[in-house]
Amino acid sequence: MSGYIGINLRDILSDDSLGESAANSILSSFSCPLNPDVEYFLRHTAIEFSKQSISSTYLIMASYKEKYVLCGYFTLANKVFCIEKDSLPSKNWKHRMNKFGQFDKTVQRYTISAPLIGQLGKNYANDYNKLITGDELLKLALDKVREMQYIVGGKIVYLECEQKEKLIDFYQSNGFVNFGMRALDRDETDKLSGESLVQMLRYM
C-alpha cells in the first residue's frame, strides 16, 4: 500500500517546531458527519490521551495536489476485557482463548488483554475520504497492531462498533467475529446511537 504516511500524534506534540498548536490545526480539519463520536474524539480527546499515554492516535496523510492532507486516522490502546465461555464463536476460538486468556471457572469466562482499535474514521472534509478506502485504513491499523504484537506478543485484536448493519458487515468482511454486547457508558449516549456496542475480535 503506497501513497500514505502514518504519523503518531505524539510525535507532532513532542516536536519543538510543531507542538500542540500545529496538532490542533491538523485535527480541526477533520470532519466525519457519519460518526460524531469519531470526529469528537480526534478534535477534543486525542491530544490529551496522547499526552497521558492512554492511547496512540495515528494520522493517515495522503498525497493530494502535490501536498499531504489528512484523509483518516485510527487510535490504538491496550484493553483488558472479558469473554463469556458460551459466547465464543467456535471451538477454534476456545483453543485461542486458552493460549492468550485466563479462564475463571467460577464465572465461566475468559479475561484477556489485547490491542483495542478504539477509533477508526475517514475525513469527509473536502472529499478527502475518497483518497482512502475503509479497507485500506483498517489494514493500516492492523499492520500497526502486528508491529505491537511482534514486540510484546499476542495474536488477538479487539474493537467495538455501533449496532449498524453496514459497520458490522464491514468488520466481518475483514475477519472480525462478534462475541458480545456492551452497554453504552453515560458519556457515550449523546454521541452514539442505540444503547449498546457490538464487541468484535479478530485472530491475527
Side-chain angles (χ1 to χ4, degrees):
M1 192 182 304
S2 60
Y4 302 115
I5 296 176
I7 304 173
N8 191 322
L9 178 57
R10 193 177 293 117
D11 291 336
I12 299 175
L13 295 172
S14 62
D15 189 319
D16 292 338
S17 64
L18 297 173
E20 193 163 336
S21 177
N24 274 313
S25 177
I26 296 171
L27 304 191
S28 66
S29 70
F30 185 87
S31 174
C32 189
L34 297 178
N35 194 328
D37 180 60
V38 168
E39 179 178 321
Y40 183 90
F41 179 88
L42 190 63
R43 285 175 170 239
H44 302 286
T45 310
I47 287 178
E48 194 60 31
F49 274 27
S50 291
K51 288 162 66 174
Q52 295 182 23
S53 295
I54 295 173
S55 62
S56 291
T57 292
Y58 292 86
L59 308 178
I60 306 304
M61 316 296 286
S63 179
Y64 179 72
K65 294 184 177 180
E66 299 184 351
K67 65 176 183 179
Y68 278 93
V69 298
L70 178 63
C71 64
Y73 86 97
F74 59 87
T75 297
L76 303 178
N78 195 51
K79 178 77 171 181
V80 176
F81 56 97
C82 296
I83 306 175
E84 304 295 330
K85 179 182 178 182
D86 291 341
S87 69
L88 292 173
S90 69
K91 289 183 178 179
N92 282 339
W93 271 102
K94 181 179 178 181
H95 176 68
R96 292 163 181 170
M97 286 298 116
N98 285 331
K99 289 197 296 183
F100 296 105
Q102 293 184 330
F103 184 63
D104 187 332
K105 293 182 179 180
T106 305
V107 292
Q108 291 290 296
R109 70 183 184 187
Y110 293 90
T111 299
I112 188 167
S113 176
L116 165 73
I117 301 177
Q119 301 287 347
L120 183 89
K122 297 196 291 182
N123 184 11
Y124 285 77
N126 303 310
D127 287 333
Y128 291 156
N129 60 296
K130 296 178 180 179
L131 300 175
I132 191 169
T133 68
D135 289 339
E136 289 171 326
L137 183 59
L138 180 57
K139 183 182 184 303
L140 290 171
L142 293 174
D143 287 346
K144 188 61 65 175
V145 168
R146 288 188 180 92
E147 290 180 23
M148 296 168 57
Q149 292 178 331
Y150 180 79
I151 296 171
V152 302
K155 281 286 188 179
I156 292 169
V157 61
Y158 169 70
L159 63 79
E160 298 174 336
C161 72
E162 292 182 87
Q163 290 179 266
K164 296 181 178 179
E165 185 176 353
K166 188 174 181 180
L167 272 178
I168 295 170
D169 288 346
F170 166 71
Y171 287 117
Q172 287 179 335
S173 70
N174 280 281
F176 284 83
V177 295
N178 181 350
F179 74 88
M181 306 287 292
R182 178 180 70 80
L184 293 179
D185 294 332
R186 184 176 299 178
D187 61 349
E188 294 175 316
T189 55
D190 59 337
K191 304 180 192 71
L192 298 169
S193 62
E195 298 180 351
S196 303
L197 293 174
V198 179
Q199 298 173 301
M200 307 188 80
L201 294 173
R202 173 174 160 166
Y203 186 74
M204 305 285 284

